[in-house]
Amino acid sequence: MKNTSTAVVALIAGLAGTASAQCSGSTHKESGATLSLVSARAEHAPDLVDTARRAGQFSTLLAAAEAAGLVPALQGHRELTVFAPTDEAFSKLPAGTVETLLKPENKDLLTAVLTYHIVEGKVAAADVVKVSTATTLGGQRLDITTDNGVQIDNANVIKTDITASNGIIHVIDTVLMPSTDDIVATAAGAGSFSTLVTAVKAAGLVEALQADGPLTVFAPTDDAFADLPAGTVESLLKPANREKLQAILTYHVVSGRVYSDAALAAQSAHTLQGGDIRISLRNGRLTINDATVISSDIDTANGVIHVIDGVLLPE
């Protein structure tokens, strides 16, 4: 009985050892398989497009992204933050607006509208509320306020932090609209730049200020031109003085979309005229040479306008 018992014990011990080894090997295999599965899942985690599609309330936004050719960008590795209007938000637009935007001939306008909803990087709600503006992929800025909930321009944020493999979605209740007027049209529509617009036309600079740019214009008001010595404007508008007028006007224009904070940080800027302008802060007000900025960061389709109270004269 003792020998039989010993044999049984040995057999059990052997089987236990074999089972332990098999279990250990199985554990390693299962662990490797689990890691592979996790890796595969990470690689195939839903991107921004898939995430929006699964949410079930962004069918119009997705159709617009498809029509604008933006789907590949929203499925790429570049991290983006999307302020996504719901189908209900699109339905609040004037009748026929969506149908018009989806037409092939309006692709550029549709792209401008959609890229105005997208910000570079993965910006969580906690970070959104720490800033007052955000620059979109289209170049124009969004205004962010937190006085009554969180508003992006005139839209309310109704849901936040929907994460995707390549970004994050914040849901908004209104479609955001970028400025679609160029610099000349914006100035003409403002009502306080009639002399500037007249001068731009006389100098033959309209097409340059309507081009894609972007450009930054430090725009003197009608009152600023009125402060010049008597007869100065009339003299500048004469065909014989066209080159001088061009030099003065291009001294007010800088290449690129330069917002006030960036302008102040730079302290100077090289103008299209060739000379440099000085940028500083005096008594809490932004100044360009000796002129004061009385309104800043007016977005246009092809740049930005800063309103100044004096005409800048190149040396």
Side-chain angles (χ1 to χ4, degrees):
M1 289 293 294
K2 183 178 180 180
N3 289 341
T4 303
S5 175
T6 301
V8 171
V9 170
L11 178 60
I12 292 174
L15 290 173
T18 301
S20 176
Q22 289 176 341
C23 182
S24 177
S26 175
T27 301
H28 285 302
K29 289 178 182 178
E30 289 175 3
S31 176
T34 301
L35 289 173
S36 297
L37 181 59
V38 170
S39 177
R41 284 178 177 171
E43 289 178 2
H44 294 90
D47 55 42
L48 287 165
V49 174
D50 289 335
T51 301
R53 186 176 291 119
R54 294 180 184 188
Q57 57 182 336
F58 303 113
S59 59
T60 308
L61 177 62
L62 290 171
E66 181 72 32
L70 291 177
V71 169
L74 294 173
Q75 291 180 318
H77 296 295
R78 182 183 184 187
E79 289 194 333
L80 302 170
T81 296
V82 179
F83 296 99
T86 61
D87 293 333
E88 185 177 354
F90 276 99
S91 71
K92 294 193 300 184
L93 292 173
T97 301
V98 173
E99 292 77 7
T100 298
L101 285 172
L102 292 177
K103 292 179 179 178
E105 61 267 29
N106 293 323
K107 184 177 179 180
D108 288 346
L109 177 58
L110 178 60
T111 300
V113 171
L114 293 181
T115 54
Y116 189 60
H117 292 77
I118 305 173
V119 172
E120 183 80 35
K122 201 169 187 176
V123 188
D127 296 315
V128 169
V129 297
K130 294 177 182 178
V131 296
S132 59
T133 62
T135 302
T136 67
L137 292 192
Q140 296 188 41
R141 276 186 171 182
L142 296 169
D143 292 322
I144 301 170
T145 57
T146 56
D147 297 333
N148 184 21
V150 180
Q151 290 83 38
I152 309 297
D153 280 359
N154 63 329
N156 296 304
V157 178
I158 56 178
K159 189 173 183 179
T160 63
D161 296 338
I162 302 174
T163 58
S165 63
N166 61 337
I168 194 164
I169 295 173
H170 303 300
V171 186
I172 56 177
D173 66 356
T174 303
V175 178
L176 307 174
M177 288 295 180
S179 175
T180 55
D181 287 337
D182 58 44
I183 290 169
V184 176
T186 301
S192 55
F193 302 109
S194 60
T195 307
L196 176 61
V197 172
T198 298
V200 166
K201 291 177 180 177
L205 294 176
V206 171
E207 289 187 3
L209 294 177
Q210 289 178 327
D212 291 340
L215 298 171
T216 296
V217 177
F218 297 95
T221 63
D222 291 335
D223 287 341
F225 277 102
D227 287 339
L228 292 173
T232 300
V233 172
E234 292 78 7
S235 176
L236 287 171
L237 292 176
K238 292 179 179 179
N241 293 323
R242 185 177 184 182
E243 289 186 3
K244 184 176 182 180
L245 179 60
Q246 288 176 339
I248 291 174
L249 293 178
T250 54
Y251 188 60
H252 292 75
V253 184
V254 171
S255 181
R257 193 183 287 268
V258 185
Y259 290 98
S260 56
D261 53 351
L264 181 59
Q267 297 186 330
S268 67
H270 191 67
T271 69
L272 296 192
Q273 180 267 347
D276 293 335
I277 52 176
R278 304 180 308 277
I279 303 168
S280 60
L281 200 65
R282 297 179 194 167
N283 299 320
R285 302 294 297 273
L286 185 67
T287 60
I288 311 298
N289 288 355
D290 294 324
T292 299
V293 176
I294 56 179
S295 182
S296 63
D297 301 332
I298 301 171
D299 263 319
T300 74
N302 63 335
V304 63
I305 295 174
H306 305 294
V307 184
I308 56 177
D309 67 356
V311 177
L312 307 176
L313 299 175
E315 296 178 359

